Amino acid sequence: MSNFIELLKVLASCNEEINNVVLKNALENLKLIAPFIQKDIINACAVETPNAIIRDLGDDLFFILVDECQDVSVKEQMGVAIRYVNKFGDTSASSLKKAIESLFSTHGLSASSLRGQRYNGASNMRGEFNGFKSLILRKNSSVYYIHCFAHQLQLTLVAIAKKHSSISFFFF
């Protein structure tokens, strides 16, 4: 984008008439509102975002969460989340809280509008005093916590796989 603007400036400096049109009008009109440009940008994001995640993941272990539902037009939608420990490996309650606050800030969301939270049973998530749940509740007491029971099977399988290598090999 900046190369394009630089090219326009060079062309405009060669001719006063071009200068009046390009530097005074074109930059104000450069809003990328044409549907084909928007689709191109969205497609680029759709390709590059998973690629960046997969590069970061490398050969490490990961977990997927797949959910499907129908939208208002009764069209099936599917969401896929990949969970893994990134290279930093810091999943303390305070680091998770900072990450969520940064996410909210980036997207203009307010913690005061949050009304629900749902996590697995890990102590850094649900801890009564220093868990992520408690850190969020200190900022907003209107946020209800619901234990995510879907994680209980995962936690059970992990515990069993740690004690029985034959079970572990079944999953890996």
Side-chain angles (χ1 to χ4, degrees), residues 81-93:
I82 295 178
R83 295 180 59 195
Y84 66 100
V85 177
N86 66 12
K87 305 301 183 225
F88 303 108
D90 184 8
T91 58
S92 67

Side-chain angles (χ1 to χ4, degrees), residues 28-137:
E28 291 178 14
N29 293 326
L30 185 60
K31 297 190 185 337
L32 303 176
I33 58 173
F36 70 92
I37 293 174
Q38 291 175 349
K39 288 178 183 177
D40 192 36
I41 291 170
I42 290 169
N43 286 333
C45 291
V47 169
E48 290 305 318
T49 301
N51 287 343
I53 291 169
I54 290 169
R55 279 192 303 272
D56 188 44
L57 173 63
D59 291 334
D60 292 341
L61 301 175
F62 63 96
F63 171 84
I64 65 167
L65 175 62
V66 180
D67 193 15
E68 63 82 27
C69 64
Q70 292 181 351
D71 64 12
V72 293
S73 69
V74 194
K75 186 175 182 181
E76 289 290 325
Q77 303 289 322
M78 179 178 70
V80 178
I82 295 178
R83 295 180 59 195
Y84 66 100
V85 177
N86 66 12
K87 305 301 183 225
F88 303 108
D90 184 8
T91 58
S92 67
S94 61
S95 69
L96 294 171
K97 181 178 176 266
K98 286 178 189 172
I100 293 299
E101 286 174 341
S102 174
L103 176 73
F104 283 9
S105 175
T106 299
H107 297 287
L109 297 171
S110 171
S112 64
S113 298
L114 186 62
R115 289 297 177 265
Q117 51 182 336
R118 185 174 178 174
Y119 314 114
N120 64 14
S123 61
N124 66 334
M125 297 304 285
R126 66 170 166 77
E128 293 300 318
F129 301 107
N130 294 318
F132 183 68
K133 173 188 93 167
S134 299
L135 295 175
I136 295 295
L137 284 171

Side-chain angles (χ1 to χ4, degrees), residues 9-22:
K9 288 180 180 179
V10 169
L11 290 173
S13 66
C14 297
N15 184 319
E16 186 62 33
E17 187 178 339
I18 292 174
N19 184 32
N20 288 335
V21 173
V22 172

